[in-house]
Amino acid sequence: MPESPPDYKVYRSRSGLRQRLPSRDSLKNPFKGLRRRRPSPTPEDPFGLRTTPKRPTARRVLRWVGIVALGWLLLTIVVFFVSAQTAPSEPDSAKEALSGGGSLLTGSTVLILGSDQRPKGTKEPGANTGPSRTDSILLLHVGFGSVRRLSILRDSYTQIPGHGSAKINAAYAIGGPALAIKTVEGFLGNDLRINHIVEVNFTNFPKLIDALGGIDITLKKCVSSNRFSGTRVRLKKGEHHLDGQEALEFSRVRKNRCAPNEDDRARAARQQQVLSSIRSKVASPVHWPGLFVRGPFVSWQAPRTVRSDMHGPGIAGLFNDLLTGGGGKTDIVKPFSLNGPGGSLLVSPEEKSRAVHALLSGTD
C-alpha cells in the first residue's frame, strides 16, 4: 500500500486591518501580496536569508515612555496612601470632641493647629520646657472647588472650658487637641462646629518643603528676626527661594526689627504666606515636570507633615480641596483691643459673628 500523506491542517495568521484593505497594486496583481519579501543579497548573505532587526520607531519609544510615566504616577499614588494610612493619628479624645457631619466634597470645617514645640537639644525657646502651646490656629471651610480660611490670633482672650479665662493658645497645653477643639468652638460661638482636625508637625515641616524643591516668597519689606538655633532670619525686600529650614524659621518670626510695630497678625500672615507658596508650587504647571520626578518623595512626606483624624481618602480629599479651591486671602478674627488681661487680645461678639458667617457662607 502506498503511503498516504499525513493528515494535518495548515493555519495561517490573519493580517492586520490595514493589510487586508485592497490597495491599487493588489487590484492589478492579486498574487503580489502573497510573495514573501526577502532582504537584498549581500556578500555575507548571498541568498538574502538573514533578517535585520527592526529599528525602534518613534511611536514605539513614546509608548514605552508613556508606560513608564504611568507606572511612576501609580507608584506616587500608592506611596501617598500608604504614608497617610500609617502616619500617626489623633488620640481618641480628639476624635470624640469633633462634631459629626460635613464632607470634604460638599463642605466641612477643619481646625488646623500648629504647635510651637521645638526640637529637643536646640537653643530655641520652648525646646525643653513643658507642654507646647498652639503657635497658629486656622479654620478651613473646604468643599470641592472652594476653600475659605479664618485665622485666630494665638493671644485672643477666651474662656477655656473647666479652666477659667486665658489666652486661647493655652487650651492645647492644658488639654491637648480635644480641649483646643472645644475652646475654639466656644470662642467663636454662632453654632460653629468643627468636623476634622489637622496638627502641623513642625519637625517634619521642612522635609516636605525640601521634597518640593523649596518654595518662593515675595516680601514687601525686609525681615530681621531674633535667633533660631543660633542663627537669625535676615531677608531683604523682594523675591526669595527658601528651603525647608529657612521657611520654618521665617514662619516662626515673632519680632521683626524691620517693622517693630508688628504684632501677632503679621506672624499669622507670614505663616499663611508659606502655606500659599506651597500650594502655588504644587498647582503651577511650570513646576509639574520637577514635581513629577519628585512625586513619590513628596507623596510620602506630605501626610507625615501632619497628624489628623483623617487617613488616606480623607487626607487626599483635603489636599484636593486645597489645590482646587484657589489661593484666596485669609480672614482674621480682628481684636478691638490689644490690652486685655496679661497682654491678651479682646474680640467683640460682633466680630466673632461676622467671622463665622464669612467662613461658612463666604460673605461678610
Side-chain angles (χ1 to χ4, degrees):
M1 295 291 292
E3 293 184 3
S4 60
D7 186 15
Y8 60 86
K9 295 181 180 180
V10 178
Y11 296 92
R12 184 171 134 191
S13 64
R14 193 176 185 183
S15 57
L17 178 61
R18 184 177 178 183
Q19 287 75 19
R20 280 182 278 155
L21 294 177
S23 62
R24 184 177 300 177
D25 294 337
S26 64
L27 294 177
K28 295 179 180 179
N29 185 2
F31 299 101
K32 185 176 181 180
L34 300 178
R35 296 177 181 173
R36 184 180 179 183
R37 295 183 179 179
R38 292 184 179 181
S40 302
T42 61
E44 294 81 6
D45 184 21
F47 299 100
L49 298 178
R50 298 179 184 177
T51 57
T52 57
K54 295 182 178 180
R55 296 182 180 180
T57 61
R59 182 181 299 178
R60 186 178 301 175
V61 172
L62 291 176
R63 182 177 63 184
W64 280 107
V65 170
I67 292 174
V68 172
L70 180 60
W72 189 254
L73 180 61
L74 292 176
L75 175 64
T76 299
I77 296 174
V78 170
V79 168
F80 177 89
F81 278 96
V82 171
S83 179
Q85 203 67 28
T86 58
S89 178
E90 287 290 336
D92 292 338
S93 58
K95 297 177 182 179
E96 294 172 358
L98 295 169
S99 299
S103 168
L104 293 176
L105 293 177
T106 60
S108 184
T109 302
V110 182
L111 174 63
I112 297 183
L113 300 175
S115 68
D116 61 356
Q117 185 176 7
R118 306 297 191 261
K120 292 184 178 181
T122 67
K123 298 179 181 180
E124 298 185 48
N128 303 301
T129 60
S132 59
R133 300 191 174 201
T134 44
D135 226 11
S136 59
I137 304 172
L138 180 68
L139 285 167
L140 301 180
H141 189 74
V142 298
F144 186 77
S146 173
V147 176
R148 292 185 288 273
R149 304 169 178 83
L150 177 64
S151 179
I152 301 174
L153 301 181
R154 61 196 291 272
D155 290 335
S156 299
Y157 192 69
T158 188
Q159 289 285 333
I160 299 178
H163 298 276
S165 301
K167 295 179 180 179
I168 195 170
N169 67 336
Y172 185 88
I174 296 173
L179 186 58
I181 292 170
K182 294 300 182 184
T183 302
V184 171
E185 288 183 341
F187 170 71
L188 290 176
N190 297 283
D191 296 326
L192 175 74
R193 294 293 179 265
I194 297 174
N195 308 117
H196 298 285
I197 182 172
V198 174
E199 289 188 64
V200 176
N201 187 335
F202 276 115
T203 303
N204 293 333
F205 192 68
K207 296 180 181 179
L208 172 60
I209 295 179
D210 288 336
L212 290 171
I215 59 174
D216 299 312
I217 62 171
T218 301
L219 300 180
K220 296 181 179 180
K221 55 187 174 184
C222 68
V223 174
S224 179
S225 75
N226 53 319
R227 289 184 178 274
F228 290 95
S229 299
T231 61
R232 283 194 176 98
V233 176
R234 290 192 178 96
L235 298 174
K236 298 180 180 179
K237 176 182 176 180
E239 298 181 355
H240 297 273
H241 182 80
L242 305 180
D243 61 21
Q245 187 61 32
E246 291 169 341
L248 175 61
E249 294 173 353
F250 171 75
S251 65
R252 283 177 174 172
V253 172
R254 283 190 173 88
K255 295 183 180 180
N256 183 11
R257 298 181 181 182
C258 295
N261 295 328
E262 282 186 354
D263 54 29
D264 203 41
R265 288 172 291 185
R267 187 167 182 264
R270 280 190 282 270
Q271 293 170 348
Q272 295 309 312
Q273 189 175 8
V274 171
L275 293 177
S276 297
S277 298
I278 293 175
R279 181 197 173 277
S280 299
K281 186 67 176 286
V282 177
S284 174
V286 176
H287 301 291
W288 286 353
L291 291 176
F292 179 79
V293 175
R294 302 187 187 98
F297 307 100
V298 175
S299 62
W300 177 261
Q301 291 296 341
R304 297 184 174 273
T305 306
V306 301
R307 188 173 69 176
S308 175
D309 65 295
M310 299 176 286
H311 291 287
I315 292 293
L318 176 61
F319 285 3
N320 178 74
D321 290 339
L322 292 175
L323 291 176
T324 60
K329 293 183 178 180
T330 300
D331 191 12
I332 297 178
V333 184
K334 304 174 183 64
F336 70 87
S337 175
L338 307 180
N339 299 314
S344 60
L345 310 177
L346 302 180
V347 182
S348 67
E350 293 78 13
E351 171 63 12
K352 296 176 183 178
S353 177
R354 179 208 65 80
V356 171
H357 188 265
L359 176 69
L360 299 181
S361 66
T363 58
D364 289 336

